[in-house]
Amino acid sequence: MITYSYVYRIITALVCLIFILRMVYQHRGPAAIVLACALSVYAVEAVGTFLFPIVYDPHVMKIGPLKYNYIPFSSIAEYFSRFSAPAAWKQIFRKTLIFLPVGLLPPLISEKYRYKKELFPLIFITSLCIEMAQLAECMITQIPYRVIDIDDIILSFIGGVLGYLLFLFIRTVFRSVSER
């Protein structure tokens, strides 16, 4: 089993450092660089959360068919039938909240992503890429450790949109404070 150890975190952090150095080279302000650092930390932890551990030993996991859900809201309904309502809402909240930075940080860093027509495709594609990476992991290892789920894409997208709404709120507050 490949876990997300410090070596992988260092490699991921180095990739993110290149992104930050590019911003410094472009003479971005300190606020943008701090936000880029926040996005980098999020990216490093997101990689660990979404893609690791990678199970490649069939003795560690029970081998079975690939688990997937292509029916919207099916796994969400299953949460409520299998778990108590608070546990189901916790799972939904967690899956939504984890994508909030994807909608919040890009508009804070780049003007390009301050418009939903630019940001919403980024949120959707990022969520879709995570699910596809999990599918590829299952297909390569032949061990169905993860569930490929349309509801994860939906909840991630909602989380990203909530992050964008938080950005709009923060921007409105800062504008009203600066006008005083």
Side-chain angles (χ1 to χ4, degrees), residues 65-96:
L66 181 64
K67 300 172 197 159
Y68 59 87
N69 169 36
Y70 299 127
I71 302 168
F73 307 109
S74 173
S75 65
I76 293 172
E78 186 179 324
Y79 296 155
F80 285 100
S81 66
R82 287 182 40 203
F83 307 112
S84 66
W89 281 112
K90 181 180 177 183
Q91 182 75 354
I92 292 166
F93 181 72
R94 188 180 66 84
K95 288 186 176 208
T96 304

Coordinates of all heavy atoms in Angstrom, one line a residue, residues 65-96:
P65 N -16.0 -6.5 -7.4 CA -16.2 -5.7 -8.6 C -16.0 -4.2 -8.3 O -16.1 -3.7 -7.2 CB -17.7 -5.9 -8.9 CG -18.3 -6.3 -7.6 CD -17.2 -7.0 -6.8
L66 N -15.7 -3.4 -9.4 CA -15.6 -2.0 -9.3 C -16.9 -1.4 -8.8 O -18.0 -1.7 -9.2 CB -15.2 -1.4 -10.7 CG -15.0 0.1 -10.7 CD1 -13.8 0.5 -9.9 CD2 -14.8 0.5 -12.2
K67 N -16.8 -0.5 -7.8 CA -18.0 0.1 -7.3 C -18.1 1.5 -7.9 O -17.2 2.3 -8.0 CB -17.8 0.3 -5.7 CG -17.6 -1.0 -5.0 CD -17.2 -0.7 -3.6 CE -16.6 -2.0 -3.0 NZ -15.8 -1.7 -1.8
Y68 N -19.3 1.8 -8.4 CA -19.6 3.0 -9.0 C -21.1 3.4 -8.9 O -21.9 2.6 -8.6 CB -19.3 3.0 -10.5 CG -20.0 1.9 -11.3 CD1 -21.3 2.2 -11.8 CD2 -19.5 0.6 -11.4 CE1 -22.0 1.2 -12.5 CE2 -20.2 -0.4 -12.1 CZ -21.5 -0.1 -12.6 OH -22.2 -1.0 -13.3
N69 N -21.3 4.7 -9.0 CA -22.7 5.2 -9.0 C -22.8 6.3 -10.0 O -22.2 7.3 -9.9 CB -23.0 5.8 -7.6 CG -24.3 6.6 -7.6 OD1 -25.3 6.2 -8.3 ND2 -24.4 7.6 -6.9
Y70 N -23.6 6.0 -11.0 CA -23.8 7.0 -12.1 C -25.2 7.7 -12.0 O -25.6 8.4 -12.8 CB -23.7 6.4 -13.5 CG -22.3 5.8 -13.7 CD1 -22.2 4.5 -14.2 CD2 -21.2 6.6 -13.5 CE1 -20.9 4.0 -14.4 CE2 -19.9 6.1 -13.8 CZ -19.8 4.8 -14.2 OH -18.6 4.3 -14.4
I71 N -26.0 7.3 -11.0 CA -27.3 7.8 -10.8 C -27.3 9.0 -9.8 O -26.9 8.7 -8.6 CB -28.3 6.7 -10.3 CG1 -28.3 5.6 -11.3 CG2 -29.7 7.3 -10.1 CD1 -29.0 4.3 -10.8
P72 N -27.6 10.2 -10.2 CA -27.5 11.3 -9.3 C -28.4 11.1 -8.0 O -29.5 10.7 -8.1 CB -28.0 12.5 -10.1 CG -27.7 12.1 -11.5 CD -27.9 10.6 -11.5
F73 N -27.8 11.5 -6.9 CA -28.4 11.5 -5.6 C -28.7 10.1 -5.0 O -29.3 10.0 -4.0 CB -29.7 12.3 -5.6 CG -29.4 13.7 -6.1 CD1 -29.9 14.1 -7.3 CD2 -28.7 14.6 -5.4 CE1 -29.7 15.4 -7.8 CE2 -28.4 15.9 -5.8 CZ -28.9 16.3 -7.1
S74 N -28.2 9.1 -5.7 CA -28.5 7.7 -5.2 C -27.6 7.4 -4.0 O -28.2 6.8 -3.0 CB -28.1 6.7 -6.3 OG -28.1 5.4 -5.9
S75 N -26.4 7.7 -4.0 CA -25.5 7.5 -2.8 C -25.9 8.4 -1.6 O -25.8 8.0 -0.5 CB -24.1 7.6 -3.1 OG -23.7 8.9 -3.4
I76 N -26.4 9.6 -1.9 CA -26.9 10.5 -0.9 C -28.1 9.8 -0.2 O -28.2 9.8 1.0 CB -27.2 11.9 -1.4 CG1 -25.9 12.5 -1.9 CG2 -27.9 12.7 -0.4 CD1 -26.1 13.8 -2.6
A77 N -29.0 9.3 -1.0 CA -30.2 8.6 -0.4 C -29.7 7.4 0.4 O -30.3 7.1 1.5 CB -31.1 8.2 -1.5
E78 N -28.7 6.7 -0.1 CA -28.2 5.6 0.6 C -27.6 6.0 2.0 O -27.7 5.2 3.0 CB -27.1 4.9 -0.2 CG -26.6 3.6 0.4 CD -25.6 2.9 -0.5 OE1 -25.7 2.9 -1.7 OE2 -24.7 2.3 0.1
Y79 N -27.0 7.1 2.1 CA -26.4 7.6 3.4 C -27.6 7.6 4.4 O -27.4 7.2 5.5 CB -25.9 9.0 3.3 CG -24.7 9.2 2.4 CD1 -24.4 10.5 1.9 CD2 -23.8 8.2 2.1 CE1 -23.3 10.7 1.1 CE2 -22.7 8.4 1.3 CZ -22.4 9.7 0.8 OH -21.3 9.9 0.0
F80 N -28.7 8.2 4.0 CA -29.8 8.3 4.9 C -30.5 7.0 5.3 O -31.0 6.8 6.3 CB -30.9 9.3 4.4 CG -30.4 10.7 4.5 CD1 -29.9 11.4 3.4 CD2 -30.5 11.4 5.7 CE1 -29.5 12.7 3.4 CE2 -30.1 12.7 5.7 CZ -29.6 13.4 4.6
S81 N -30.4 6.0 4.4 CA -31.0 4.7 4.7 C -30.0 3.8 5.5 O -30.5 3.0 6.3 CB -31.4 4.0 3.4 OG -30.2 3.6 2.6
R82 N -28.7 4.0 5.4 CA -27.7 3.2 6.1 C -27.3 3.8 7.4 O -26.9 3.1 8.3 CB -26.5 3.0 5.2 CG -26.8 2.0 4.1 CD -25.5 1.7 3.3 NE -24.3 1.6 4.0 CZ -23.1 1.7 3.5 NH1 -23.0 2.1 2.3 NH2 -22.1 1.6 4.3
F83 N -27.3 5.1 7.5 CA -26.8 5.8 8.7 C -27.9 6.6 9.3 O -29.0 6.9 8.7 CB -25.6 6.7 8.3 CG -24.5 6.0 7.6 CD1 -24.3 6.3 6.3 CD2 -23.7 5.0 8.2 CE1 -23.3 5.7 5.6 CE2 -22.7 4.4 7.5 CZ -22.5 4.7 6.2
S84 N -27.6 7.1 10.5 CA -28.6 8.1 11.1 C -28.5 9.4 10.4 O -27.6 9.7 9.6 CB -28.2 8.3 12.6 OG -26.9 9.0 12.7
A85 N -29.6 10.2 10.5 CA -29.6 11.5 9.8 C -28.4 12.4 10.1 O -27.8 12.9 9.2 CB -31.0 12.2 10.0
P86 N -28.0 12.5 11.4 CA -26.9 13.3 11.6 C -25.6 12.8 11.0 O -24.8 13.6 10.4 CB -26.7 13.3 13.2 CG -28.1 13.0 13.6 CD -28.7 12.1 12.6
A87 N -25.4 11.5 10.9 CA -24.2 10.9 10.3 C -24.3 11.2 8.8 O -23.3 11.5 8.1 CB -24.1 9.5 10.6
A88 N -25.5 11.1 8.2 CA -25.6 11.3 6.7 C -25.3 12.7 6.4 O -24.6 13.0 5.4 CB -27.0 10.9 6.3
W89 N -25.9 13.7 7.2 CA -25.6 15.1 7.0 C -24.2 15.4 7.2 O -23.6 16.3 6.4 CB -26.5 16.0 7.9 CG -27.9 16.1 7.3 CD1 -29.0 15.6 7.9 CD2 -28.3 16.7 6.1 NE1 -30.1 15.8 7.1 CE2 -29.7 16.5 6.0 CE3 -27.7 17.4 5.1 CZ2 -30.5 17.0 5.0 CZ3 -28.4 17.9 4.1 CH2 -29.8 17.7 4.0
K90 N -23.5 14.8 8.1 CA -22.1 15.0 8.3 C -21.3 14.6 7.1 O -20.4 15.3 6.7 CB -21.6 14.2 9.5 CG -20.2 14.4 9.9 CD -19.8 13.6 11.1 CE -18.3 13.7 11.4 NZ -17.9 12.9 12.5
Q91 N -21.6 13.4 6.5 CA -20.9 13.0 5.3 C -21.2 14.0 4.1 O -20.2 14.3 3.4 CB -21.4 11.6 4.9 CG -20.8 11.0 3.8 CD -19.4 10.5 4.0 OE1 -18.8 10.7 5.1 NE2 -18.8 9.8 3.0
I92 N -22.4 14.4 4.0 CA -22.7 15.3 2.9 C -22.0 16.7 3.1 O -21.4 17.2 2.2 CB -24.2 15.6 2.8 CG1 -24.9 14.3 2.3 CG2 -24.6 16.7 1.9 CD1 -26.4 14.3 2.5
F93 N -22.0 17.2 4.3 CA -21.3 18.4 4.7 C -19.8 18.3 4.4 O -19.2 19.2 3.9 CB -21.6 18.7 6.2 CG -21.0 20.0 6.6 CD1 -21.5 21.3 6.2 CD2 -19.9 20.0 7.5 CE1 -21.0 22.4 6.6 CE2 -19.3 21.2 7.9 CZ -19.9 22.4 7.4
R94 N -19.2 17.2 4.8 CA -17.8 17.0 4.6 C -17.4 17.0 3.2 O -16.5 17.6 2.7 CB -17.4 15.7 5.3 CG -15.9 15.4 5.3 CD -15.6 14.1 6.0 NE -16.0 13.0 5.3 CZ -15.4 12.4 4.3 NH1 -14.2 12.9 3.9 NH2 -15.9 11.4 3.7
K95 N -18.2 16.3 2.4 CA -17.9 16.2 0.9 C -18.1 17.5 0.2 O -17.5 17.8 -0.8 CB -18.8 15.1 0.3 CG -18.3 13.7 0.7 CD -19.0 12.7 -0.1 CE -18.5 11.3 0.2 NZ -18.6 10.4 -0.8
T96 N -19.0 18.3 0.8 CA -19.3 19.7 0.2 C -18.2 20.6 0.6 O -17.6 21.4 -0.2 CB -20.7 20.2 0.6 OG1 -21.6 19.2 0.2 CG2 -21.0 21.5 -0.1

